[in-house]
Amino acid sequence: MNTQRLLQRAYRYGQGYVQLRRGDTLLVSFPKSGNTWLKYILANYIESFEKEQPGELTFKRAKEIVPELGVNDLHDVHALRSGLSFIKTHALRNPLMNAGKSLLLLRHPKKVMVSYFFFAQANKNIRFQDDFQAFIRHPKFGLEAWLKHTLSWYDRSVILHYEDLQDKGVEVLFQVMKKLNHPADESKLAEAFALSTKEHMSRIEKSDPTANTNTSDDYSFVGKGTRGKWEDLATAEDEELFKEIFAKAHATRNLKFLEYYDLGVV
């Protein structure tokens, strides 16, 4: 990343920190944890409070309703009538993130690594050229980065597992909204899920030129689950590394997600 881009990024984050309010909820995840899907569900849900007859939600409109810290201006989200201000971030937690609440979306780290690996190869700003073994050991993208990010937010956030979102849908998100003390409307949540299926989002992604500007043309944010699996890419040494990293974490802290994902170290 060149100096000009670094300065621009620092300015955008500084602006975002100043714009954060105590009533905001940070939507937090490590990259490729399902954040795009959850963000789109939440955007559809919030839009149902904003308009009596909300239309089809473009990716551009979703970014206005659920902006990203350090990327988008937060002015529009604070002008929403509903008062529901979710702000996405993949960043590590730091003291400047003085929003009132945070929602941490977790996904099995092996699945995150596989999805992130293919994304990093396709992303024009990353263009990761090495193999999967180098990727999961990379200080910014790999397993230890995932754990560091998760631990920075874990004790201060409402936890939502991507797998529960898949399996339980409306039920689990209804409970999350209640934990966050946000309006929880089952009928509106059900409609938001119906408008956020893979088929629906894939069609909108293809027709929306703002949806996918930083990746190669053959990459889709709306995953099809066919790009590969940990078992296909990882070696025996990778498996040992995985167990070692999470065993160390378990030895120092009581982390419920280790048991939830049956990571073999509990």
Side-chain angles (χ1 to χ4, degrees), residues 213-244:
T213 57
N214 291 323
T215 53
S216 56
D217 293 339
D218 60 347
Y219 184 88
S220 171
F221 273 97
V222 184
K224 298 178 177 63
T226 58
R227 296 193 187 100
K229 297 180 179 179
W230 173 273
E231 293 77 9
D232 301 327
L233 298 169
T235 65
E237 290 78 12
D238 297 337
E239 191 64 41
E240 287 303 311
L241 174 69
F242 183 90
K243 291 179 181 179
E244 178 184 342

PDB file of all heavy atoms in Angstrom, residues 213-244:
ATOM      1  N   THR A 213     -16.216  -4.211  -6.991  1.00  0.00           N
ATOM      2  CA  THR A 213     -15.284  -3.417  -7.801  1.00  0.00           C
ATOM      3  C   THR A 213     -13.823  -3.720  -7.524  1.00  0.00           C
ATOM      4  O   THR A 213     -12.957  -3.334  -8.302  1.00  0.00           O
ATOM      5  CB  THR A 213     -15.530  -1.910  -7.557  1.00  0.00           C
ATOM      6  OG1 THR A 213     -15.379  -1.640  -6.154  1.00  0.00           O
ATOM      7  CG2 THR A 213     -16.927  -1.509  -7.999  1.00  0.00           C
ATOM      8  N   ASN A 214     -13.520  -4.414  -6.414  1.00  0.00           N
ATOM      9  CA  ASN A 214     -12.121  -4.643  -6.045  1.00  0.00           C
ATOM     10  C   ASN A 214     -11.648  -6.073  -6.260  1.00  0.00           C
ATOM     11  O   ASN A 214     -10.546  -6.435  -5.832  1.00  0.00           O
ATOM     12  CB  ASN A 214     -11.901  -4.270  -4.574  1.00  0.00           C
ATOM     13  CG  ASN A 214     -12.002  -2.780  -4.343  1.00  0.00           C
ATOM     14  OD1 ASN A 214     -11.576  -1.991  -5.171  1.00  0.00           O
ATOM     15  ND2 ASN A 214     -12.586  -2.392  -3.224  1.00  0.00           N
ATOM     16  N   THR A 215     -12.473  -6.907  -6.899  1.00  0.00           N
ATOM     17  CA  THR A 215     -12.087  -8.285  -7.135  1.00  0.00           C
ATOM     18  C   THR A 215     -12.166  -8.601  -8.615  1.00  0.00           C
ATOM     19  O   THR A 215     -12.793  -7.877  -9.393  1.00  0.00           O
ATOM     20  CB  THR A 215     -13.001  -9.260  -6.357  1.00  0.00           C
ATOM     21  OG1 THR A 215     -14.362  -8.979  -6.664  1.00  0.00           O
ATOM     22  CG2 THR A 215     -12.790  -9.134  -4.860  1.00  0.00           C
ATOM     23  N   SER A 216     -11.537  -9.693  -9.011  1.00  0.00           N
ATOM     24  CA  SER A 216     -11.553 -10.095 -10.412  1.00  0.00           C
ATOM     25  C   SER A 216     -12.976 -10.425 -10.846  1.00  0.00           C
ATOM     26  O   SER A 216     -13.844 -10.737 -10.025  1.00  0.00           O
ATOM     27  CB  SER A 216     -10.644 -11.309 -10.622  1.00  0.00           C
ATOM     28  OG  SER A 216     -11.019 -12.375  -9.768  1.00  0.00           O
ATOM     29  N   ASP A 217     -13.213 -10.381 -12.142  1.00  0.00           N
ATOM     30  CA  ASP A 217     -14.565 -10.494 -12.674  1.00  0.00           C
ATOM     31  C   ASP A 217     -15.234 -11.830 -12.360  1.00  0.00           C
ATOM     32  O   ASP A 217     -16.461 -11.916 -12.289  1.00  0.00           O
ATOM     33  CB  ASP A 217     -14.546 -10.288 -14.191  1.00  0.00           C
ATOM     34  CG  ASP A 217     -14.169  -8.861 -14.571  1.00  0.00           C
ATOM     35  OD1 ASP A 217     -14.312  -7.973 -13.716  1.00  0.00           O
ATOM     36  OD2 ASP A 217     -13.717  -8.651 -15.711  1.00  0.00           O
ATOM     37  N   ASP A 218     -14.433 -12.886 -12.170  1.00  0.00           N
ATOM     38  CA  ASP A 218     -15.015 -14.202 -11.938  1.00  0.00           C
ATOM     39  C   ASP A 218     -15.254 -14.496 -10.459  1.00  0.00           C
ATOM     40  O   ASP A 218     -15.677 -15.594 -10.099  1.00  0.00           O
ATOM     41  CB  ASP A 218     -14.131 -15.297 -12.540  1.00  0.00           C
ATOM     42  CG  ASP A 218     -12.725 -15.305 -11.927  1.00  0.00           C
ATOM     43  OD1 ASP A 218     -12.377 -14.329 -11.230  1.00  0.00           O
ATOM     44  OD2 ASP A 218     -11.993 -16.280 -12.156  1.00  0.00           O
ATOM     45  N   TYR A 219     -15.000 -13.502  -9.579  1.00  0.00           N
ATOM     46  CA  TYR A 219     -15.202 -13.714  -8.146  1.00  0.00           C
ATOM     47  C   TYR A 219     -16.564 -13.175  -7.730  1.00  0.00           C
ATOM     48  O   TYR A 219     -16.959 -12.087  -8.148  1.00  0.00           O
ATOM     49  CB  TYR A 219     -14.113 -13.022  -7.324  1.00  0.00           C
ATOM     50  CG  TYR A 219     -14.246 -13.295  -5.840  1.00  0.00           C
ATOM     51  CD1 TYR A 219     -13.652 -14.411  -5.276  1.00  0.00           C
ATOM     52  CD2 TYR A 219     -14.998 -12.457  -5.024  1.00  0.00           C
ATOM     53  CE1 TYR A 219     -13.791 -14.681  -3.921  1.00  0.00           C
ATOM     54  CE2 TYR A 219     -15.146 -12.725  -3.676  1.00  0.00           C
ATOM     55  CZ  TYR A 219     -14.535 -13.837  -3.129  1.00  0.00           C
ATOM     56  OH  TYR A 219     -14.693 -14.100  -1.795  1.00  0.00           O
ATOM     57  N   SER A 220     -17.257 -13.936  -6.888  1.00  0.00           N
ATOM     58  CA  SER A 220     -18.554 -13.502  -6.371  1.00  0.00           C
ATOM     59  C   SER A 220     -18.509 -13.442  -4.855  1.00  0.00           C
ATOM     60  O   SER A 220     -18.029 -14.359  -4.193  1.00  0.00           O
ATOM     61  CB  SER A 220     -19.657 -14.477  -6.814  1.00  0.00           C
ATOM     62  OG  SER A 220     -20.873 -14.184  -6.156  1.00  0.00           O
ATOM     63  N   PHE A 221     -19.016 -12.330  -4.277  1.00  0.00           N
ATOM     64  CA  PHE A 221     -19.120 -12.222  -2.825  1.00  0.00           C
ATOM     65  C   PHE A 221     -20.161 -13.186  -2.277  1.00  0.00           C
ATOM     66  O   PHE A 221     -20.088 -13.608  -1.132  1.00  0.00           O
ATOM     67  CB  PHE A 221     -19.498 -10.792  -2.419  1.00  0.00           C
ATOM     68  CG  PHE A 221     -18.308  -9.898  -2.254  1.00  0.00           C
ATOM     69  CD1 PHE A 221     -17.895  -9.062  -3.275  1.00  0.00           C
ATOM     70  CD2 PHE A 221     -17.588  -9.902  -1.082  1.00  0.00           C
ATOM     71  CE1 PHE A 221     -16.789  -8.233  -3.126  1.00  0.00           C
ATOM     72  CE2 PHE A 221     -16.484  -9.078  -0.907  1.00  0.00           C
ATOM     73  CZ  PHE A 221     -16.087  -8.245  -1.943  1.00  0.00           C
ATOM     74  N   VAL A 222     -21.172 -13.497  -3.085  1.00  0.00           N
ATOM     75  CA  VAL A 222     -22.221 -14.415  -2.669  1.00  0.00           C
ATOM     76  C   VAL A 222     -21.711 -15.822  -2.950  1.00  0.00           C
ATOM     77  O   VAL A 222     -21.802 -16.324  -4.066  1.00  0.00           O
ATOM     78  CB  VAL A 222     -23.540 -14.151  -3.414  1.00  0.00           C
ATOM     79  CG1 VAL A 222     -24.632 -15.056  -2.882  1.00  0.00           C
ATOM     80  CG2 VAL A 222     -23.931 -12.677  -3.271  1.00  0.00           C
ATOM     81  N   GLY A 223     -21.120 -16.453  -1.920  1.00  0.00           N
ATOM     82  CA  GLY A 223     -20.409 -17.715  -2.107  1.00  0.00           C
ATOM     83  C   GLY A 223     -21.305 -18.854  -2.530  1.00  0.00           C
ATOM     84  O   GLY A 223     -22.480 -18.931  -2.172  1.00  0.00           O
ATOM     85  N   LYS A 224     -20.721 -19.768  -3.301  1.00  0.00           N
ATOM     86  CA  LYS A 224     -21.444 -20.944  -3.765  1.00  0.00           C
ATOM     87  C   LYS A 224     -20.995 -22.206  -3.034  1.00  0.00           C
ATOM     88  O   LYS A 224     -21.519 -23.282  -3.262  1.00  0.00           O
ATOM     89  CB  LYS A 224     -21.224 -21.117  -5.277  1.00  0.00           C
ATOM     90  CG  LYS A 224     -21.744 -19.942  -6.098  1.00  0.00           C
ATOM     91  CD  LYS A 224     -21.459 -20.160  -7.565  1.00  0.00           C
ATOM     92  CE  LYS A 224     -22.038 -19.015  -8.408  1.00  0.00           C
ATOM     93  NZ  LYS A 224     -21.424 -17.726  -8.104  1.00  0.00           N
ATOM     94  N   GLY A 225     -19.973 -22.061  -2.156  1.00  0.00           N
ATOM     95  CA  GLY A 225     -19.524 -23.206  -1.386  1.00  0.00           C
ATOM     96  C   GLY A 225     -18.797 -24.253  -2.211  1.00  0.00           C
ATOM     97  O   GLY A 225     -18.703 -25.412  -1.815  1.00  0.00           O
ATOM     98  N   THR A 226     -18.251 -23.871  -3.364  1.00  0.00           N
ATOM     99  CA  THR A 226     -17.628 -24.851  -4.251  1.00  0.00           C
ATOM    100  C   THR A 226     -16.154 -24.543  -4.500  1.00  0.00           C
ATOM    101  O   THR A 226     -15.537 -25.182  -5.338  1.00  0.00           O
ATOM    102  CB  THR A 226     -18.367 -24.876  -5.599  1.00  0.00           C
ATOM    103  OG1 THR A 226     -18.344 -23.561  -6.176  1.00  0.00           O
ATOM    104  CG2 THR A 226     -19.806 -25.314  -5.424  1.00  0.00           C
ATOM    105  N   ARG A 227     -15.567 -23.578  -3.790  1.00  0.00           N
ATOM    106  CA  ARG A 227     -14.202 -23.181  -4.101  1.00  0.00           C
ATOM    107  C   ARG A 227     -13.160 -24.091  -3.474  1.00  0.00           C
ATOM    108  O   ARG A 227     -12.014 -24.066  -3.847  1.00  0.00           O
ATOM    109  CB  ARG A 227     -13.970 -21.734  -3.648  1.00  0.00           C
ATOM    110  CG  ARG A 227     -14.833 -20.726  -4.383  1.00  0.00           C
ATOM    111  CD  ARG A 227     -14.329 -19.309  -4.119  1.00  0.00           C
ATOM    112  NE  ARG A 227     -15.241 -18.353  -4.687  1.00  0.00           N
ATOM    113  CZ  ARG A 227     -16.158 -17.688  -4.002  1.00  0.00           C
ATOM    114  NH1 ARG A 227     -16.275 -17.899  -2.715  1.00  0.00           N
ATOM    115  NH2 ARG A 227     -16.956 -16.824  -4.588  1.00  0.00           N
ATOM    116  N   GLY A 228     -13.516 -24.889  -2.507  1.00  0.00           N
ATOM    117  CA  GLY A 228     -12.555 -25.767  -1.871  1.00  0.00           C
ATOM    118  C   GLY A 228     -12.870 -25.961  -0.397  1.00  0.00           C
ATOM    119  O   GLY A 228     -13.707 -25.266   0.174  1.00  0.00           O
ATOM    120  N   LYS A 229     -12.190 -26.923   0.205  1.00  0.00           N
ATOM    121  CA  LYS A 229     -12.375 -27.222   1.618  1.00  0.00           C
ATOM    122  C   LYS A 229     -11.012 -27.308   2.291  1.00  0.00           C
ATOM    123  O   LYS A 229      -9.988 -27.543   1.650  1.00  0.00           O
ATOM    124  CB  LYS A 229     -13.129 -28.539   1.789  1.00  0.00           C
ATOM    125  CG  LYS A 229     -14.544 -28.533   1.236  1.00  0.00           C
ATOM    126  CD  LYS A 229     -15.215 -29.881   1.455  1.00  0.00           C
ATOM    127  CE  LYS A 229     -16.627 -29.875   0.921  1.00  0.00           C
ATOM    128  NZ  LYS A 229     -17.296 -31.192   1.116  1.00  0.00           N
ATOM    129  N   TRP A 230     -11.021 -27.137   3.612  1.00  0.00           N
ATOM    130  CA  TRP A 230      -9.798 -27.258   4.400  1.00  0.00           C
ATOM    131  C   TRP A 230      -9.118 -28.601   4.118  1.00  0.00           C
ATOM    132  O   TRP A 230      -7.907 -28.667   3.924  1.00  0.00           O
ATOM    133  CB  TRP A 230     -10.135 -27.117   5.882  1.00  0.00           C
ATOM    134  CG  TRP A 230      -8.998 -27.385   6.817  1.00  0.00           C
ATOM    135  CD1 TRP A 230      -8.617 -28.603   7.332  1.00  0.00           C
ATOM    136  CD2 TRP A 230      -8.075 -26.431   7.365  1.00  0.00           C
ATOM    137  NE1 TRP A 230      -7.536 -28.468   8.162  1.00  0.00           N
ATOM    138  CE2 TRP A 230      -7.178 -27.152   8.203  1.00  0.00           C
ATOM    139  CE3 TRP A 230      -7.928 -25.049   7.241  1.00  0.00           C
ATOM    140  CZ2 TRP A 230      -6.151 -26.517   8.909  1.00  0.00           C
ATOM    141  CZ3 TRP A 230      -6.898 -24.420   7.940  1.00  0.00           C
ATOM    142  CH2 TRP A 230      -6.019 -25.145   8.760  1.00  0.00           C
ATOM    143  N   GLU A 231      -9.903 -29.662   4.098  1.00  0.00           N
ATOM    144  CA  GLU A 231      -9.357 -31.005   3.888  1.00  0.00           C
ATOM    145  C   GLU A 231      -8.648 -31.131   2.544  1.00  0.00           C
ATOM    146  O   GLU A 231      -7.736 -31.954   2.388  1.00  0.00           O
ATOM    147  CB  GLU A 231     -10.469 -32.049   3.989  1.00  0.00           C
ATOM    148  CG  GLU A 231     -11.070 -32.201   5.381  1.00  0.00           C
ATOM    149  CD  GLU A 231     -12.043 -31.084   5.734  1.00  0.00           C
ATOM    150  OE1 GLU A 231     -12.388 -30.282   4.832  1.00  0.00           O
ATOM    151  OE2 GLU A 231     -12.444 -31.012   6.913  1.00  0.00           O
ATOM    152  N   ASP A 232      -9.059 -30.344   1.562  1.00  0.00           N
ATOM    153  CA  ASP A 232      -8.436 -30.399   0.232  1.00  0.00           C
ATOM    154  C   ASP A 232      -7.138 -29.604   0.160  1.00  0.00           C
ATOM    155  O   ASP A 232      -6.279 -29.894  -0.678  1.00  0.00           O
ATOM    156  CB  ASP A 232      -9.402 -29.850  -0.828  1.00  0.00           C
ATOM    157  CG  ASP A 232     -10.713 -30.624  -0.875  1.00  0.00           C
ATOM    158  OD1 ASP A 232     -10.683 -31.843  -0.623  1.00  0.00           O
ATOM    159  OD2 ASP A 232     -11.759 -30.001  -1.156  1.00  0.00           O
ATOM    160  N   LEU A 233      -7.013 -28.607   1.026  1.00  0.00           N
ATOM    161  CA  LEU A 233      -5.889 -27.673   0.925  1.00  0.00           C
ATOM    162  C   LEU A 233      -4.836 -27.851   2.010  1.00  0.00           C
ATOM    163  O   LEU A 233      -3.664 -27.557   1.789  1.00  0.00           O
ATOM    164  CB  LEU A 233      -6.413 -26.233   0.980  1.00  0.00           C
ATOM    165  CG  LEU A 233      -7.365 -25.807  -0.142  1.00  0.00           C
ATOM    166  CD1 LEU A 233      -8.000 -24.453   0.195  1.00  0.00           C
ATOM    167  CD2 LEU A 233      -6.630 -25.722  -1.461  1.00  0.00           C
ATOM    168  N   ALA A 234      -5.254 -28.308   3.187  1.00  0.00           N
ATOM    169  CA  ALA A 234      -4.362 -28.360   4.338  1.00  0.00           C
ATOM    170  C   ALA A 234      -3.545 -29.655   4.369  1.00  0.00           C
ATOM    171  O   ALA A 234      -3.996 -30.708   3.934  1.00  0.00           O
ATOM    172  CB  ALA A 234      -5.162 -28.217   5.627  1.00  0.00           C
ATOM    173  N   THR A 235      -2.338 -29.547   4.913  1.00  0.00           N
ATOM    174  CA  THR A 235      -1.464 -30.696   5.111  1.00  0.00           C
ATOM    175  C   THR A 235      -1.551 -31.158   6.567  1.00  0.00           C
ATOM    176  O   THR A 235      -2.191 -30.507   7.409  1.00  0.00           O
ATOM    177  CB  THR A 235      -0.013 -30.320   4.800  1.00  0.00           C
ATOM    178  OG1 THR A 235       0.416 -29.328   5.761  1.00  0.00           O
ATOM    179  CG2 THR A 235       0.118 -29.753   3.390  1.00  0.00           C
ATOM    180  N   ALA A 236      -0.887 -32.260   6.879  1.00  0.00           N
ATOM    181  CA  ALA A 236      -0.838 -32.743   8.262  1.00  0.00           C
ATOM    182  C   ALA A 236      -0.170 -31.705   9.159  1.00  0.00           C
ATOM    183  O   ALA A 236      -0.573 -31.504  10.310  1.00  0.00           O
ATOM    184  CB  ALA A 236      -0.092 -34.068   8.319  1.00  0.00           C
ATOM    185  N   GLU A 237       0.847 -31.014   8.628  1.00  0.00           N
ATOM    186  CA  GLU A 237       1.524 -29.963   9.391  1.00  0.00           C
ATOM    187  C   GLU A 237       0.591 -28.790   9.671  1.00  0.00           C
ATOM    188  O   GLU A 237       0.638 -28.183  10.753  1.00  0.00           O
ATOM    189  CB  GLU A 237       2.767 -29.466   8.633  1.00  0.00           C
ATOM    190  CG  GLU A 237       3.916 -30.463   8.579  1.00  0.00           C
ATOM    191  CD  GLU A 237       3.695 -31.567   7.554  1.00  0.00           C
ATOM    192  OE1 GLU A 237       2.756 -31.442   6.716  1.00  0.00           O
ATOM    193  OE2 GLU A 237       4.442 -32.559   7.583  1.00  0.00           O
ATOM    194  N   ASP A 238      -0.279 -28.483   8.714  1.00  0.00           N
ATOM    195  CA  ASP A 238      -1.256 -27.410   8.915  1.00  0.00           C
ATOM    196  C   ASP A 238      -2.232 -27.775  10.030  1.00  0.00           C
ATOM    197  O   ASP A 238      -2.607 -26.930  10.852  1.00  0.00           O
ATOM    198  CB  ASP A 238      -2.040 -27.145   7.628  1.00  0.00           C
ATOM    199  CG  ASP A 238      -1.163 -26.670   6.499  1.00  0.00           C
ATOM    200  OD1 ASP A 238      -0.074 -26.130   6.770  1.00  0.00           O
ATOM    201  OD2 ASP A 238      -1.566 -26.847   5.332  1.00  0.00           O
ATOM    202  N   GLU A 239      -2.643 -29.031  10.059  1.00  0.00           N
ATOM    203  CA  GLU A 239      -3.566 -29.495  11.090  1.00  0.00           C
ATOM    204  C   GLU A 239      -2.920 -29.404  12.471  1.00  0.00           C
ATOM    205  O   GLU A 239      -3.564 -28.998  13.447  1.00  0.00           O
ATOM    206  CB  GLU A 239      -4.004 -30.930  10.802  1.00  0.00           C
ATOM    207  CG  GLU A 239      -5.153 -31.423  11.645  1.00  0.00           C
ATOM    208  CD  GLU A 239      -6.446 -30.665  11.400  1.00  0.00           C
ATOM    209  OE1 GLU A 239      -6.767 -30.360  10.239  1.00  0.00           O
ATOM    210  OE2 GLU A 239      -7.138 -30.352  12.407  1.00  0.00           O
ATOM    211  N   GLU A 240      -1.645 -29.759  12.556  1.00  0.00           N
ATOM    212  CA  GLU A 240      -0.928 -29.649  13.829  1.00  0.00           C
ATOM    213  C   GLU A 240      -0.800 -28.197  14.258  1.00  0.00           C
ATOM    214  O   GLU A 240      -0.930 -27.861  15.435  1.00  0.00           O
ATOM    215  CB  GLU A 240       0.449 -30.298  13.708  1.00  0.00           C
ATOM    216  CG  GLU A 240       0.417 -31.820  13.666  1.00  0.00           C
ATOM    217  CD  GLU A 240      -0.266 -32.420  14.886  1.00  0.00           C
ATOM    218  OE1 GLU A 240       0.083 -32.009  16.013  1.00  0.00           O
ATOM    219  OE2 GLU A 240      -1.151 -33.282  14.700  1.00  0.00           O
ATOM    220  N   LEU A 241      -0.521 -27.325  13.306  1.00  0.00           N
ATOM    221  CA  LEU A 241      -0.439 -25.893  13.607  1.00  0.00           C
ATOM    222  C   LEU A 241      -1.767 -25.385  14.146  1.00  0.00           C
ATOM    223  O   LEU A 241      -1.803 -24.638  15.143  1.00  0.00           O
ATOM    224  CB  LEU A 241      -0.064 -25.111  12.346  1.00  0.00           C
ATOM    225  CG  LEU A 241      -0.081 -23.582  12.472  1.00  0.00           C
ATOM    226  CD1 LEU A 241       1.054 -23.107  13.381  1.00  0.00           C
ATOM    227  CD2 LEU A 241       0.020 -22.921  11.107  1.00  0.00           C
ATOM    228  N   PHE A 242      -2.842 -25.777  13.526  1.00  0.00           N
ATOM    229  CA  PHE A 242      -4.180 -25.366  13.950  1.00  0.00           C
ATOM    230  C   PHE A 242      -4.417 -25.774  15.412  1.00  0.00           C
ATOM    231  O   PHE A 242      -4.834 -24.959  16.245  1.00  0.00           O
ATOM    232  CB  PHE A 242      -5.218 -26.011  13.031  1.00  0.00           C
ATOM    233  CG  PHE A 242      -6.631 -25.612  13.322  1.00  0.00           C
ATOM    234  CD1 PHE A 242      -7.199 -24.503  12.697  1.00  0.00           C
ATOM    235  CD2 PHE A 242      -7.400 -26.329  14.228  1.00  0.00           C
ATOM    236  CE1 PHE A 242      -8.511 -24.127  12.973  1.00  0.00           C
ATOM    237  CE2 PHE A 242      -8.703 -25.954  14.507  1.00  0.00           C
ATOM    238  CZ  PHE A 242      -9.260 -24.856  13.875  1.00  0.00           C
ATOM    239  N   LYS A 243      -4.144 -27.031  15.726  1.00  0.00           N
ATOM    240  CA  LYS A 243      -4.371 -27.525  17.083  1.00  0.00           C
ATOM    241  C   LYS A 243      -3.479 -26.802  18.089  1.00  0.00           C
ATOM    242  O   LYS A 243      -3.905 -26.479  19.203  1.00  0.00           O
ATOM    243  CB  LYS A 243      -4.111 -29.028  17.133  1.00  0.00           C
ATOM    244  CG  LYS A 243      -5.142 -29.859  16.382  1.00  0.00           C
ATOM    245  CD  LYS A 243      -4.811 -31.344  16.441  1.00  0.00           C
ATOM    246  CE  LYS A 243      -5.841 -32.160  15.678  1.00  0.00           C
ATOM    247  NZ  LYS A 243      -5.523 -33.616  15.688  1.00  0.00           N
ATOM    248  N   GLU A 244      -2.238 -26.545  17.706  1.00  0.00           N
ATOM    249  CA  GLU A 244      -1.295 -25.872  18.597  1.00  0.00           C
ATOM    250  C   GLU A 244      -1.752 -24.458  18.935  1.00  0.00           C
ATOM    251  O   GLU A 244      -1.729 -24.044  20.104  1.00  0.00           O
ATOM    252  CB  GLU A 244       0.085 -25.825  17.932  1.00  0.00           C
ATOM    253  CG  GLU A 244       1.145 -25.104  18.751  1.00  0.00           C
ATOM    254  CD  GLU A 244       2.468 -24.982  18.023  1.00  0.00           C
ATOM    255  OE1 GLU A 244       2.683 -25.727  17.048  1.00  0.00           O
ATOM    256  OE2 GLU A 244       3.285 -24.123  18.419  1.00  0.00           O
TER     257      GLU A 244
END
